[in-house]
Amino acid sequence: GVINAQGTVGGFMKAPTVDANLAVTAGAVEDVQFDALRADVKYKGDRATIDAALDQTATNRLTAVGTLPIASGGAPSTAKLELRVKSTPIDLGLAQAFTKEVSAIGGVGVIDMTVTGSLQDPILDGGVQIDNGTFTVEGTGVTYSNATARIVFEQNHLQIGQFQLQDEDGHLLKAVGALDVFGRSAQGALDLKITAEQFHMLDSRLGNVQMNVDMTLAGDVAHPRISGMLRVDQGRIDVGQVLEVTTKSVYSTRPQAAEDDPDAPPPDP
């Protein structure tokens, strides 16, 4: 794509001001193309304002508008956190720009979230919807598809109306329930139900692990009560490969040649 950017820094050393903007046209994240990205950022005193928009197509758009408190001179900001993130249906592949741990991201997402309060104690309201999500977890080698989610936040109370993932063999992991998240609400209610049958958690050179899950999490986030069943249905771990990945060659995981063995008999003349 084509990038245009400009910025102005003013004010004083102890109280600078910033006015910057960035524009990208005809860009792409991996194989997902977008028409334009625009961001205007202004900083003054103890707050920054942002007005950003990502146009994937003429009808698919993601916007982020609001105010972020910024600490100034070591003193906490008195500005309020007010950020609204909203989208029409948009390709989830654009999220690939923010992670390397997950690849081949796909699907469609709709976001309508508002964050208020403060950075120390944020308050979330709104919802997220995901359909036909796909991704591969690089660390485990497992590719998931048909990801579906219906998530609603109300004053930091997270309600999971629907959540499911499908592994490469068509086995499903499902979750439903609610919990309180972030800030003081993190001491709040927890009520989650998670189920899965023969669900792949690992499928790589490190091994192959499938799990059966039927668990309930209750109580509160700080002191959860966990009940139910978590069982390995099929499991194989390649210890040599695990040592190779997780240690600095403490053990050799390759066959030792005769010339490397000091106790080996001398070769025949």
Side-chain angles (χ1 to χ4, degrees):
V2 179
I3 300 176
N4 290 295
Q6 64 179 18
T8 302
V9 180
F12 303 92
M13 291 294 293
K14 292 185 177 181
T17 63
V18 178
D19 189 344
N21 60 70
L22 169 72
V24 180
T25 57
V29 177
E30 297 294 336
D31 296 327
V32 181
Q33 298 181 344
F34 61 89
D35 290 346
L37 169 65
R38 173 192 58 79
D40 296 317
V41 179
K42 293 179 173 59
Y43 167 70
K44 184 177 181 179
D46 61 351
R47 70 198 64 196
T49 60
I50 182 172
D51 185 351
L54 172 63
D55 295 319
Q56 184 181 356
T57 67
T59 57
N60 302 97
R61 193 175 213 222
L62 172 71
T63 60
V65 179
T67 302
L68 301 176
I70 305 293
S72 178
S77 172
T78 59
K80 293 182 178 180
L81 171 61
E82 297 180 350
L83 183 64
R84 176 78 180 274
V85 180
K86 188 175 182 179
S87 80
T88 60
I90 197 164
D91 195 323
L92 295 174
L94 294 168
Q96 194 66 71
F98 305 102
T99 179
K100 293 184 179 179
E101 302 303 318
V102 178
S103 64
I105 301 174
V108 176
V110 178
I111 303 171
D112 189 357
M113 291 291 302
T114 300
V115 186
T116 57
S118 66
L119 292 178
Q120 294 75 27
D121 193 12
I123 301 172
L124 276 64
D125 289 281
V128 177
Q129 176 177 318
I130 295 174
D131 290 295
N132 300 317
T134 61
F135 60 93
T136 298
V137 180
E138 290 296 311
T140 65
V142 183
T143 296
Y144 299 108
S145 61
N146 291 329
T148 302
R150 300 291 185 271
I151 299 172
V152 175
F153 286 90
E154 184 176 353
Q155 295 288 293
N156 284 349
H157 182 73
L158 170 60
Q159 183 72 42
I160 304 174
Q162 181 183 12
F163 180 87
Q164 75 170 34
L165 289 176
Q166 179 176 300
D167 68 12
E168 295 162 303
D169 295 330
H171 303 129
L172 294 177
L173 179 145
K174 297 182 179 181
V176 65
L179 68 155
D180 292 335
V181 296
F182 293 113
R184 300 184 185 92
S185 298
Q187 301 299 320
L190 171 64
D191 182 14
L192 284 178
K193 176 73 172 179
I194 303 172
T195 59
E197 186 174 346
Q198 297 181 324
F199 190 74
H200 264 106
M201 305 297 292
L202 176 67
D203 188 11
S204 69
R205 65 191 182 99
L206 301 180
N208 186 292
V209 175
Q210 291 178 259
M211 303 290 293
N212 289 335
V213 183
D214 188 357
M215 297 183 63
T216 298
L217 287 74
D220 59 71
V221 175
H223 306 92
R225 298 193 307 272
I226 303 173
S227 60
M229 176 271 295
L230 177 66
R231 184 178 69 236
V232 176
D233 181 73
Q234 295 184 38
R236 177 185 61 82
I237 301 295
D238 190 320
V239 177
Q241 293 290 345
V242 172
L243 289 173
E244 184 175 309
V245 171
T246 59
T247 66
K248 296 182 178 179
S249 301
V250 175
Y251 305 99
S252 174
T253 56
R254 63 177 178 82
Q256 187 178 42
E259 58 269 21
D260 296 333
D261 185 357
D263 297 324
D268 295 332

